[in-house]
Each structure stands twice: as C-alpha cells, then as structure tokens.
Amino acid sequence: LLIGVVVTVLASIGPALRATRVPPIAAVQEGAVLPRGRLSRISPYLAALFLAAGILLFVYALFSDLGATEALLLLAGGAILVFLGVGMLARFIVRPLAKVIGAPIEAAAGTTGHIARANATRNPARTAATAAALMIGVGLVTFVAIFAQGLMDSFTGAIDRVIQGDLILRTQNFDPFPAAAEPATASVPGVAATEFLRFPEIRAKPGGSQVLNTIDPAEAANVFNFDWRGGASDALFEQLGTDGALIETNLAKSSGLRTGDTFTVTTNRGNSGPFKVLGEYRDPVLFTGITVSDEAADRLDIPPDPSVGVVKFEPGADANAVQREVSDRIEQQFPIVEVQSNAEFKEDWESQIDQLLSLLYALLGISLIISLFGIVNALVLSIYERTREIGMLRAIGTTRRQMRAIVRYESIITAVIGGVLGIVIGVLFAWILTRGLEDQGIGFSFPVLTLIIFLVLAVLAGVLAAMLPARRAARLNPLEALHHE
C-alpha cells in the first residue's frame, strides 16, 4: 500500500509542475500548446546518462566480486535506469519508428492508414509514454525467454559434449540410491561400461564449499569426454589413485590452485585428507568443483550410494532391447530409480524448465494486461482531444468503419513501438547477463521464433486495446462533435 501511494505521488509531480506553467491566456486561445518544460533541453542527455549508468551497473554487478544479494540489487537498479533512459529517449525515435511500422499499414489501408500513422506521431511524448508500459512487459518476457533458452541449451549441450553413455539412472530428485544398482546394471547383456557417480558436498582448503565428483578411473575414459586444459588428457584418470584430484577451471581461478598444488578436503562427517592437483578441465555445468576416484572417496568414508548412473552400450547392441532389460531389472530391485536415455533425460529437464517458464510468463502477462489499460487511456484521451477533428472527418464522408480502423491502426503502431523497444531491451539484458555468466556455462541464445511471437502478441495487444476507444470514436455524432469546445 505504501509503495502504491508513494509511486502514484511521484508520478504526479511532473504533470503537476507542467500544469502550473499553463499561461492564463490559454483559456481564450484555441489549440493552445503547453510551454516546453525547464528540463526539456537536457532531457536527451539525462536519458543517455540513465541508460549508460544502468548498463554500467549491470556490468559491475556481473563482473565484480559482490555477494548474491548485492549483485541482484544492482541488477534491479540497472534495469530500472535502463527502462527510464529508453523511455525518455523513445519520444525522439517515435516518428521514424512509426514511419517504418506504419508503412505496410498505409500501403494496405490507404488513407485510413496514413491518418493513423500521423495521429501516432502527433504527440511523440504521449505515444512514447503509452508504449513504455508495454515495452517494460515485453522486455522482461524477452529477457526471461532468452535467458531460459541459454540455460537449457547449456545443460543439454553439456550432456551431449561430456556424457558418451546411452542411459542415465537417477531418482526423481537426484537423491542417493543403493550402490547395488551398479552390479545389477553392469551384468545386463549389451552393457559395455558403467559409471555410478557420487556428489557429496565437501569443504576444500583452499576453495571453500565445493561438490566432490567421484568416478571409476577404469571406465571414465569410455563414458566421459572431458574438455582438458593445459595439455592434460584421459591418461590422468588412471593416475588418480587415493590422493589425486582433477579440478574445474572456475575453481582453479577462484582458489588459485594449479597443477601440482596440494589442498585438503574435509567431508561433512569431519573426515579429511590431502589431495594433489593432477590437471584441469572445463565443465561448469555437470562436473563442477573437484573430481576424484571412488577409491579416494572410500578413504574419506563417503557413503557408497551413488546419485547418478551412466551406462554405455556395446557397439552394435540393440539399444531399445538393452534399455528395456536394464529398466526391467532396475524396476524390480530398485523401484525409486528411473532409467532414461540421454534424449529422455534432456526432454525431462526441458519440461521442468518449461513449467517454471509458464509460471513466469503468467506473472509477466499481468504486466502486459496492465499496459493495455495504458494504451486504452491514451487513446480515449486522444479521441476526446480530437473530437472536433473526428466530427470533421465524419462530416466529409468518413464512415464509422473507417473511423474504427484509424483508431485501431494507431493503437497497433503504438503497441508495436513498445514491443520493438521491449524486445531490444530484453535482448540487451540477456546478452549482458549471459556474458557475465559465461564461465558458468550459460551461453547466449537468440530464439527468433519466440521473439516473432512476442511481436505478434504486441500487435494483438494493440487490437484489443483499440476496441473500446475505436467504438467510441465511431459513435460520435458529427454535428455535436463539430460544436465541441
């Protein structure tokens, strides 16, 4: 309630100041124009300053060593400044944008399209303010869509790059399951190799809290394809022993550990042991932190129950038959374990992200609905101000249908301006954020089809917002409108 009241009061300051500068002589003048505001000359520079400051806050939040809370606050502040800057600059690009957007409408609709485009550019500041609400909603939706797509591509891409197996065994929430599942799977005809992984949380010194990945060195090279750094190779798997470790490049950067260095690992049970860095690899998605052998994990008294199993088939084996046999055997002995092919596992992961996206889209859709009210209000006010003009158009032969079309086209042009600006801002936000998280394996993805859908939705929003104002304009009595003061 407090935020709503404060924001409303702040929003009224600008119009209130402008109202005090209306000269009394305007009462006897027809078509009087408000004087330019005191900040009108510097508003472009102020808007550019907001835009630059917002982008700098974004970059600083992503590339500095701030905590998560501080970084998120700076990101939110940067987003607000960018929206303010673009909103203030929008009035300077309304005319060229309306000309481009209105060109196909004018070509298809003729005079009505031309009048609609002219109306949209008559008051650029109002058109920009009307489009700003839609711009924010579309911008946030675009950002979420691009970021989620990049997150999804990074995970599925990591599975394709790193995992050379054919099946993945796991529980619903990646909880540990009985270690006896590994020999039961390995004994199935057609299975060439298995890797059952444990992911205990440990504390490394240096390095802090990390995930410890445990592997079987004898089968690792057959099942995984590590992206080695510094001349390392699969030969390091056989050298792990009970005190060798492989570290992911992000941990190497943050901790300062290098090949040949030693560090200490402490489990949540208090067991600890020294390890020597044998090499580095890059995998910020699946094998983050530290990778050691199963033998080393047993020395630290880490429970033997794995969280994920990876199975590779023999060359020429019937994949469907082997998967059915593994599924039947696991289902009988370990019903909590799911057996999925790589494709099924990726599809399951994508469906979970899609569920989250659906929730976010529903919440952000509310902001788009709110923006429709802004367009409706602006159109109604514009129609009221142009009452005599509408009466003149009706008097010279403009039909009600043509009048409705003029208002509808004007609304579409305004909505598309907001949609285009929102998509540009959303793409910019997503690009900056994915660049900042590139070390975490999140890449920038440009979903062209999704962005086209968002633009089409902006057009539909313009059509919906124009329904009531268009009807009101068409129903004006020409004679009464000509006498309107």
Side-chain angles (χ1 to χ4, degrees):
L1 181 62
L2 182 63
I3 291 175
V5 173
V6 171
V7 169
T8 304
V9 172
L10 292 176
S12 70
I13 293 176
L17 291 176
R18 294 205 69 187
T20 62
R21 289 195 288 270
V22 177
I25 193 64
V28 296
Q29 293 179 337
E30 183 178 351
V33 179
L34 284 175
R36 297 183 64 184
R38 296 176 183 176
L39 299 178
S40 60
R41 293 183 179 179
I42 65 171
S43 61
Y45 308 103
L46 189 62
L49 180 63
F50 284 157
L51 185 60
I55 294 176
L56 287 176
L57 281 180
F58 248 84
V59 174
Y60 179 72
L62 291 172
F63 294 95
S64 65
D65 295 327
L66 295 173
T69 302
E70 293 81 2
L72 287 173
L73 288 174
L74 285 180
L75 287 172
I80 292 173
L81 289 177
V82 169
F83 279 128
L84 284 175
V86 174
M88 294 173 65
L89 288 173
R91 65 188 180 96
F92 298 102
I93 60 176
V94 161
R95 284 194 172 92
L97 276 179
K99 185 176 182 180
V100 174
I101 296 169
I105 296 177
E106 187 174 350
T111 303
T112 54
H114 175 75
I115 295 175
R117 182 172 62 82
N119 288 340
T121 59
R122 180 178 299 186
N123 191 333
R126 178 188 294 169
T127 302
T130 304
L134 189 63
M135 172 190 72
I136 294 173
V138 173
L140 293 175
V141 172
T142 300
F143 163 73
V144 169
I146 295 178
F147 183 74
Q149 185 65 47
L151 183 65
M152 192 180 301
D153 290 346
S154 67
F155 188 80
T156 56
I159 294 175
D160 291 333
R161 289 192 306 272
V162 178
I163 297 180
Q164 304 301 304
D166 301 286
L167 293 181
I168 295 176
L169 282 68
R170 65 181 181 95
T171 60
Q172 186 65 37
N173 297 315
F174 291 94
D175 296 323
F177 53 87
E182 181 171 9
T185 303
S187 62
V188 173
V191 171
T194 60
E195 276 282 358
F196 280 69
L197 314 173
R198 290 173 274 178
F199 304 112
E201 294 183 1
I202 53 92
R203 179 169 291 276
K205 187 177 181 181
S209 297
Q210 299 292 331
V211 173
L212 191 69
N213 313 295
T214 71
I215 61 173
D216 178 5
E219 301 291 355
N222 297 324
V223 180
F224 303 122
N225 179 28
F226 274 35
D227 183 10
W228 298 106
R229 291 291 190 264
S233 68
D234 290 347
L236 292 179
F237 289 135
E238 297 294 339
Q239 302 175 26
L240 284 175
T242 59
D243 60 356
L246 307 171
I247 60 174
E248 207 274 327
T249 53
N250 284 319
L251 174 59
K253 292 177 183 178
S254 62
S255 64
L257 291 172
R258 293 293 181 268
T259 300
D261 293 345
T262 59
F263 63 98
T264 302
V265 166
T266 303
T267 69
N268 56 9
R269 294 184 176 184
N271 302 318
S272 61
F275 285 86
K276 181 179 180 180
V277 179
L278 301 182
E280 296 180 23
Y281 62 91
R282 186 178 187 277
D283 186 358
V285 179
L286 300 180
F287 284 89
T288 61
I290 304 166
T291 299
V292 299
S293 68
D294 287 332
E295 189 179 1
D298 293 337
R299 181 172 65 89
L300 293 173
D301 197 25
I302 292 173
D305 296 337
S307 297
V308 172
V310 181
V311 179
K312 185 174 183 180
F313 298 157
E314 293 177 353
D318 186 339
N320 293 329
V322 177
Q323 181 174 350
R324 283 195 302 270
E325 180 64 26
V326 171
S327 298
D328 292 341
R329 186 170 299 187
I330 292 299
E331 184 178 354
Q332 292 175 3
Q333 302 181 40
F334 314 100
I336 64 170
V337 180
E338 296 182 20
V339 179
Q340 296 176 309
S341 65
N342 286 8
E344 291 171 341
F345 178 65
K346 289 189 294 184
E347 184 179 353
D348 187 43
W349 170 260
E350 290 172 355
S351 67
Q352 295 181 38
I353 295 182
D354 289 338
Q355 290 177 7
L356 178 61
L357 278 179
S358 298
L359 176 61
L360 292 175
Y361 285 154
L363 294 174
L364 293 173
I366 297 175
S367 67
L368 298 180
I369 294 174
I370 294 172
S371 68
L372 296 185
F373 287 99
I375 298 176
V376 171
N377 289 338
L379 288 174
V380 169
L381 179 59
S382 176
I383 290 169
Y384 180 80
E385 292 176 345
R386 299 201 302 263
T387 299
R388 294 185 65 184
E389 176 185 320
I390 292 173
M392 181 64 71
L393 288 172
R394 295 282 285 115
I396 63 175
T398 303
T399 65
R400 288 185 175 182
R401 182 177 179 180
Q402 289 175 322
M403 199 69 246
R404 287 194 295 267
I406 290 172
V407 177
R408 184 165 57 249
Y409 294 149
E410 180 182 352
S411 177
I412 290 174
I413 291 172
T414 302
V416 173
I417 289 175
V420 169
L421 293 177
I423 289 174
V424 171
I425 291 178
V427 171
L428 176 65
F429 282 176
W431 182 79
I432 293 175
L433 190 60
T434 51
R435 290 286 294 176
L437 299 176
E438 194 173 21
D439 288 342
Q440 307 301 319
I442 300 177
F444 178 75
S445 178
F446 195 78
V448 178
L449 180 59
T450 302
L451 299 185
I452 292 175
I453 292 174
F454 290 161
L455 198 58
V456 172
L457 290 177
V459 173
L460 294 177
V463 174
L464 291 174
M467 291 177 65
L468 291 178
R471 185 181 179 187
R472 176 171 182 169
R475 295 181 65 181
L476 286 176
N477 187 296
L479 292 179
E480 293 179 1
L482 288 171
H483 288 87
H484 180 78
E485 292 294 337

